[in-house]
Amino acid sequence: MKVERKGKYVCKTVLNHDAGYMVLEVGDMVRTSWKRPGQFVHVKCGDGRLLRRPISVCSCMEDEPEDTVAIVFERRGTGTDWLAQRECGEYLDVLGFLGNGFTMGPEGRYLLVGGGIGVPPLLGCAKAAPNRCTAVLGFRSADRAMLLDDFRAVCPEVVVMSDDGTLGEHGFVDAGVRRLLEAGERFDGVLACGPKPMLRSVAKAAAEFGVPCQVSMEERMACGVGACLGCACKTKDKNGDPQISRVCLNGPVFDAKEVDWT
Ligand code: FES
């Protein structure tokens, strides 16, 4: 059940040139609405224009008297620019939690694969399965990296990659995924979040090694609640027949086999 709350903005960290981390106090929102990591919130950005933006949740906590939610956003336009200019103590209108999130078992080992602004939701997965995840995290360059120490605190192995070689290994995350799988590391699932070409490559590698793969799709959203078809993506039903899914309502997490990657 999604709820709308006035979230008090209590802590802010600049993660890199474009990305910001915010902690919000959100009343009973976590207690009443949170289901799984990979869900997101829809935050009203802007005075009067009532625009909402889907924002990744990187962790949340039930607490008294106020639950807290940590979100990460990337500046991509007027709405997120407005968000970046908010100051601690201000209130934001937050609708959540939206979407389905990743399905994780109580004992499995997971390979978390994130690219860019797809990295934050996976921190929730890593925290949900401490010491049971390996993370492969990719960024365009060293100055775009984020949350590395947070992942290292809960994951025994964190592989960092960059497109330009300025941080960690030079290359894309699917190469890191293949290397781990070829080395014989066993995982019960691959959980991936990032741009579609990255997800396609990771899903292909997981399929080759027979590891179930869930992908969180990054589509542009408008209403965020299934009403506008602004986030439509091509998927397949159980018989393999084509269908259209709404990322905000039916996702954002899909079994990689359900996605039409063409
Ligand atoms: Fe409107 Fe998904 S954003 S249907």
Side-chain angles (χ1 to χ4, degrees), residues 42 220-232 246-249:
H42 218 205
R220 291 187 79 84
M221 289 186 195
C223 73
V225 292
C228 74
L229 279 180
C231 62
R246 286 164 289 183
V247 170
C248 68
L249 194 68

Side-chain angles (χ1 to χ4, degrees), residues 22-260:
M22 281 181 170
V23 178
L24 302 170
E25 289 180 346
V26 289
D28 61 354
M29 186 180 226
V30 178
R31 279 166 279 172
T32 53
S33 176
W34 175 252
K35 284 188 293 196
R36 291 196 286 264
Q39 291 188 283
F40 62 95
V41 288
H42 218 205
V43 179
K44 214 174 264 185
C45 295
D47 300 310
R49 286 183 300 133
L50 308 184
L51 293 174
R52 287 189 184 271
R53 291 285 178 269
I55 308 284
S56 296
V57 172
C58 86
S59 65
C60 59
M61 197 166 73
E62 293 183 16
D63 209 351
E64 290 290 346
E66 297 265 345
D67 298 340
T68 57
V69 176
I71 59 175
V72 173
F73 63 93
E74 189 170 61
R75 294 172 64 154
R76 285 185 176 172
T78 48
T80 42
D81 281 348
W82 180 90
L83 198 55
Q85 287 157 16
R86 307 296 27 100
E87 298 293 342
C88 293
E90 292 188 47
Y91 284 82
L92 300 175
D93 188 305
V94 184
L95 181 66
F97 292 94
L98 303 180
N100 53 1
F102 290 101
T103 302
M104 301 176 76
E107 292 179 349
R109 284 194 69 225
Y110 293 95
L111 179 56
L112 311 179
V113 189
I117 195 63
V119 165
L122 296 173
L123 183 59
C125 299
K127 288 183 171 179
N131 298 316
R132 290 194 280 123
C133 297
T134 293
V136 180
L137 309 176
F139 304 96
R140 240 183 288 165
S141 52
D143 60 356
R144 301 292 177 128
M146 64 175 91
L147 302 171
L148 298 182
D149 288 342
D150 301 85
F151 275 90
R152 287 179 181 130
V154 283
C155 296
E157 186 178 12
V158 178
V159 177
V160 181
M161 310 200 57
S162 57
D163 300 358
D164 66 357
T166 52
L167 181 72
E169 297 176 32
H170 188 183
F172 299 124
V173 290
D174 56 302
V177 169
R178 281 182 183 280
R179 183 165 52 72
L180 290 169
L181 295 175
E182 277 165 5
E185 290 210 35
R186 297 244 171 252
F187 297 101
D188 297 284
V190 172
L191 313 180
C193 187
K196 192 167 181 182
M198 181 208 106
L199 296 180
R200 183 191 295 119
S201 302
V202 171
K204 187 164 180 280
E208 285 172 22
F209 287 86
V211 185
C213 180
Q214 299 171 53
V215 293
S216 181
M217 307 293 286
E218 284 182 356
E219 293 292 336
R220 291 187 79 84
M221 289 186 195
C223 73
V225 292
C228 74
L229 279 180
C231 62
C233 83
K234 288 191 208 165
T235 55
K236 293 177 265 184
D237 68 15
K238 299 231 178 309
N239 301 318
D241 293 326
Q243 65 179 6
I244 297 293
S245 294
R246 286 164 289 183
V247 170
C248 68
L249 194 68
N250 310 113
V253 178
F254 295 88
D255 184 324
K257 290 193 191 124
E258 290 174 14
V259 177
D260 179 345

